Every structure is written in structure tokens, then in C-alpha cells.
Amino acid sequence: MAAPMEKKAHSRAESRPQLARSLMDRSAEFGRWKAQSLSKADLSRKGSVDEDAVEVVELLNSREEFFTTSSCAGRILLLDGSTEGSGVQKQHCCWLLVTHKPCARDDVMAALKGATSEAVLKFEPFILHVQCRTLQDAQTLHSVAIDSGFRNSGITVGKRGKTMLAVRSTHGLEVPLTHKGKLMVTEEYIEFLLTIANQKMEENKRRIGRFYNYLQHALKQETISNSHSKIKERNNPLCTHKNRRSQGKAQGPSTTEDNGRELEDGDGLEISAALFLGDD
């Protein structure tokens, strides 16, 4: 029995450097992706990060395990375009009005003078896309998003190993106002809609604030936890080997497509994550 046990122990010892090299390669590749993404020009209509999202974006990009790929702090907009097919498509619409602040009736009524087809008033809440170094990093961020009120958030794992988190919520608003350029509702109703939209904008801003505060706390706890783990590993070599085995099981090839259903108790973090497999 001694020979098989020795052979098994030797095999484990050989696999440790391979695992370490694999983790280093992944970390280096993530670093290249981050550098390339952050060096690109901002191609959004505004050309810069929205004021209410700046703190969140800067905090995430300052961490080695995250970088943001797109964001919108939330906005009220009036689009004019065809609704044939699968609803309003922004790329084929005329943007009559867009604001990231509370909106007044007079602004909408003035913008509606330019409507020639199907004008739609919309409120779009905060959305943020973040690429994460590991699935565990994404799960930490997903937990923060859910606790902050962004309950439509989800994780996507690409074929090349890219792990993306989308921070989203469902408190949007979309109401048609004109048909073939003709106003179909009263000014009183538009004012009512704007009251709702402005309330949603304020709630959206509060959620962004919660997300930023919860994120700061989670990252601080993560830093403390990692520091304690490193001290424990230095003091106990057996603990290092055990932790690597546990991480290998937690992040092994057990991820499956969930078709939009929520995963519960993922990897012991006690969060519910919508996890999808997608193309990079």
C-alpha cells in the first residue's frame, strides 16, 4: 500500500506548479484585457462616464480583479421612431430628449414638437457591465448588486473564460405618447408620467449610493479575508494545499447553462446568481 500512496502524493506535488502556472496565465490575460479595455476611447453618445456613476466606476477600475466595460447612471429619454417588429430600436430612432436629471413637462412638450412617428417616453435605470477576474469575484459583486436593489443582475461566463457581471434592475418605464406624429395623450397625463419617472430617478440614485457603500464594505472585508488567508498559509503549509484543492473543486468545470434560472447557494457564498454561458 505504501507504493500507491507515494505515487499519488508525487502526482499531487507535480500538479501544484501546473495549477500555479495556470492561475498566473489567467491573471496575466485578465490584466491584458483590462489594459486594452481601459485604453479605448469612450464611444457612448455622451463620451464620458455619467456623474452619478463615476465613483462606482472609478472604485471598480482601481481594483485588480475588476474593470468596467460600459455604464449608464439612469436616464429619462424621449425617442421617436418606428415600433414595427420587436419594439423600439434606439439605433433607428430620433433622440428627441435625453436627461440624467429629473425632467419637467415643458421640456417634454417642447421635444414632442419634433415627433413625426411613434414617440415613446422612457425611464432607463442604472446599468453597469463589469468584467471580473474569477467567478468568485463576480459572485461577490453580484451579492452586492442584489443587496443594493439591483435584483435583475446576472453573471455570464464566455467560451474563452471571460466572466461578466451585469448590474441591472427592473424599475424602468416605457409609454408611447404619439402615433404617426399625433399626440395621443393629454398634457396632464404626461405630467403624471413624469412624476413617476422622476420618482424612479430618485430611487435609482439611492440604489447607486447603496451599491457604492456596500461595494466599499465588501471589498474591505475581502481584503481582510485574503490577508488572513495568506498569513495562515505561510504558517501552515498543509493549509495551503487544502485550500488549493477546495478552490479547484469550487471553480472546477461544473458550471452549466441555466437558461435564465437562478442558482442558489453558489460556491458557499449563499447568494442567488443568474448564471449564463455566452460568447466572448
Side-chain angles (χ1 to χ4, degrees):
M1 292 297 292
M5 291 295 292
E6 290 177 1
K7 184 177 181 180
K8 189 174 182 180
H10 181 67
S11 176
R12 287 178 180 174
E14 288 182 339
S15 67
R16 292 178 198 173
Q18 295 175 355
L19 176 60
R21 282 195 298 271
S22 176
L23 292 175
M24 289 178 64
D25 289 344
R26 287 189 181 184
S27 181
E29 186 174 31
F30 179 82
R32 289 193 294 272
W33 286 336
K34 180 172 183 175
Q36 290 172 2
S37 177
L38 297 184
S39 65
K40 292 179 180 177
D42 190 327
L43 299 179
S44 66
R45 291 174 63 91
K46 185 169 179 280
S48 61
V49 178
D50 296 336
E51 181 181 348
D52 289 337
V54 167
E55 285 188 329
V56 170
V57 169
E58 289 182 345
L59 176 57
L60 288 168
N61 288 335
S62 71
R63 302 283 301 197
E64 63 179 14
E65 64 266 42
F66 304 113
F67 67 90
T68 62
T69 60
S70 65
S71 66
C72 177
R75 60 193 178 187
I76 296 172
L77 61 160
L78 186 65
L79 302 176
D80 185 36
S82 175
T83 58
E84 294 179 0
S86 58
V88 174
Q89 301 296 318
K90 292 177 191 174
Q91 61 269 32
H92 302 307
C93 289
C94 176
W95 294 57
L96 300 176
L97 173 71
V98 57
T99 177
H100 298 274
K101 303 293 182 182
C103 189
R105 182 186 67 177
D106 290 345
D107 295 330
V108 173
M109 296 308 300
L112 280 171
K113 293 178 180 179
T116 59
S117 55
E118 318 300 317
V120 178
L121 179 70
K122 302 183 71 174
F123 167 72
E124 296 179 339
F126 175 69
I127 186 167
L128 176 70
H129 292 98
V130 185
Q131 188 165 334
C132 308
R133 184 176 54 186
T134 67
L135 181 58
Q136 184 173 350
D137 293 329
Q139 288 173 321
T140 298
L141 199 53
H142 181 269
S143 181
V144 170
I146 295 297
D147 290 344
S148 303
F150 298 103
R151 302 190 180 278
N152 198 35
S153 300
I155 300 170
T156 302
V157 179
K159 292 179 181 178
R160 292 179 55 200
K162 289 185 178 179
T163 304
M164 298 293 302
L165 174 81
V167 180
R168 300 173 299 222
S169 63
T170 58
H171 71 298
L173 179 70
E174 182 172 346
V175 182
L177 300 182
T178 70
H179 177 60
K180 296 182 179 180
K182 180 182 177 181
L183 186 62
M184 305 301 292
V185 298
T186 65
E187 290 190 28
E188 184 180 9
Y189 184 65
I190 290 176
E191 187 167 11
F192 168 71
L193 291 177
L194 288 175
T195 299
I196 296 175
N198 289 336
Q199 289 173 349
K200 288 179 177 289
M201 180 72 82
E202 292 301 319
E203 171 58 24
N204 180 72
K205 190 171 182 178
R206 285 192 290 270
R207 292 186 187 187
I208 295 174
R210 284 200 299 269
F211 181 79
Y212 180 71
N213 291 333
Y214 292 175
L215 177 60
Q216 284 185 309
H217 178 74
L219 294 179
K220 183 178 180 180
Q221 293 299 113
E222 190 78 9
T223 300
I224 294 173
S225 176
N226 289 340
S227 177
H228 288 171
S229 296
K230 288 178 181 178
I231 293 173
K232 187 183 295 184
E233 288 177 4
R234 284 198 298 267
N235 294 338
N236 187 355
L238 293 177
C239 180
T240 302
H241 178 58
K242 182 177 179 182
N243 285 347
R244 284 176 177 166
R245 288 183 61 193
S246 299
Q247 290 174 4
K249 291 179 180 179
Q251 299 182 17
S254 60
T255 303
T256 58
E257 187 170 3
D258 197 277
N259 293 324
R261 292 175 298 176
E262 292 186 338
L263 303 179
E264 296 183 356
D265 299 327
D267 294 340
L269 293 180
E270 297 183 359
I271 67 171
S272 177
L275 181 61
F276 306 92
L277 298 183
D279 296 328
D280 287 333

